[in-house]
Amino acid sequence: MGKAVDSREFASICLALEKAGAENINIVTGSHCVPALAEGLSAAVDSGLSIPVLWNSSAYESTDTLKLLEGLVSVWLPDFKSCNPDFSAEVFRARDYPERAAEAILYMAETSPLSFDGKQRIRSGVIMRHLSLPGKLEDTRGVLEWFKERLDGRAMLSLMTQYTPVPAAEKAPSGKEPFPQRFTTENEYGRLLEILESLQIENGFLQELNPDSDWLPDFSRSQPFSSSLAKPVWHWRDGFIPSPGR
């Protein structure tokens, strides 16, 4: 599923999004094609793109890779999935994930200080995200303690609870499920609030508990999202999509 585009079409998509009212260009999971994306973003900026570019990734990236995006990306949305190398080896097949992600996130914070426009919309900086997993609250505690020690006051936190169980293609190497195949419970959510309060982390966002899967996108449709707020501009199969009334 998808379509290859050159830097010129990529730039056209970015400009169409800005014209339609988008407040940023959000590059999601682009780590595997950074050079091509850097070329496309450069073309978009050269063609007049003026809204911020956000880099939305797992943070499993080298600082050398991130340097290719210097001057193009101003806001970083890295995940910090886990501080636990055993869990990372079991679930991500990458024991070094915590070390690599920590290095990448600190680099992002050092090179992009927080700043906002007159409407308090972020223009540069880091929003570090963490998805709390059912049955893994102590892992979340470790991530939040790391944030408090290393980034509090220099970055914002986004603590998410939207984990949605989906059928797995395969089990972990041990043959076990790495965590329960269920949503986060109200009891676990209450304990998350207690952890946040104990660490006194206040600068950021906390997702409300909503155990549902209706938000999952379907990219086979030209309108992948259920929210009426989402206005499709371009689709991999249909190309540019005319706005209503045109």
Side-chain angles (χ1 to χ4, degrees):
M1 183 184 295
K3 176 188 175 184
V5 298
D6 59 21
S7 59
R8 183 196 230 164
E9 186 170 8
F10 180 87
S12 297
I13 295 168
C14 292
L15 294 169
L17 284 165
E18 180 172 13
K19 185 177 180 180
E23 294 186 356
N24 56 70
I25 301 298
N26 191 335
I27 307 296
V28 182
T29 317
S31 307
H32 56 297
C33 48
V34 170
L37 285 167
E39 183 180 343
L41 289 171
S42 294
V45 171
D46 290 344
S47 297
L49 183 72
S50 62
I51 54 178
V53 174
L54 280 64
W55 188 257
N56 185 329
S57 77
S58 69
Y60 191 54
E61 298 154 326
S62 72
T63 55
D64 285 341
T65 297
L66 297 176
K67 287 176 183 177
L68 298 175
L69 299 168
E70 187 175 344
L72 298 171
V73 171
S74 55
V75 182
W76 305 89
L77 279 73
D79 287 326
F80 200 175
K81 297 177 182 292
S82 175
C83 288
N84 185 337
D86 292 333
F87 180 77
S88 298
E90 180 82 355
V91 179
F92 311 141
R93 314 289 200 272
R95 178 171 290 277
D96 65 341
Y97 171 82
E99 182 181 359
R100 297 281 80 80
E103 289 177 354
I105 294 170
L106 290 174
Y107 171 84
M108 295 171 186
E110 289 163 5
T111 56
S112 298
L114 281 170
S115 69
F116 302 86
D117 66 14
K119 296 182 179 180
Q120 287 302 298
R121 295 176 298 194
I122 190 167
R123 299 295 299 185
S124 71
V126 174
I127 302 175
M128 192 195 89
R129 304 175 309 169
H130 174 71
L131 175 62
S132 179
L133 298 173
K136 295 292 181 181
L137 283 180
E138 287 309 305
D139 206 47
T140 289
R141 182 189 295 275
V143 170
L144 298 185
E145 288 175 346
W146 182 89
F147 177 89
K148 180 66 178 180
E149 178 183 350
R150 305 300 299 273
L151 287 178
D152 197 24
R154 295 200 295 150
M156 302 179 76
L157 174 71
S158 176
L159 181 57
M160 303 178 293
T161 58
Q162 66 187 32
Y163 170 74
T164 303
V166 295
E170 57 180 313
K171 293 183 183 293
S174 64
K176 301 176 184 177
E177 294 288 356
F179 36 81
Q181 294 298 292
R182 59 173 176 80
F183 294 103
T184 295
T185 66
E186 290 188 10
N187 180 265
E188 287 172 322
Y189 189 73
R191 290 169 62 192
L192 278 177
L193 296 179
E194 292 173 0
I195 293 171
L196 279 175
E197 184 174 355
S198 68
L199 293 174
Q200 296 184 320
I201 297 174
E202 299 179 351
N203 190 18
F205 310 92
L206 172 64
Q207 188 175 37
E208 294 181 356
L209 187 63
N210 182 24
D212 199 345
S213 61
D214 288 346
W215 61 273
L216 290 173
D218 178 359
F219 290 106
S220 66
R221 303 183 312 181
S222 57
Q223 168 52 296
F225 296 95
S226 57
S227 172
S228 60
L229 298 176
K231 298 186 295 183
V233 169
W234 182 92
H235 186 263
W236 63 270
R237 185 189 57 231
D238 304 324
F240 285 98
I241 298 171
S243 60
R246 298 177 71 186

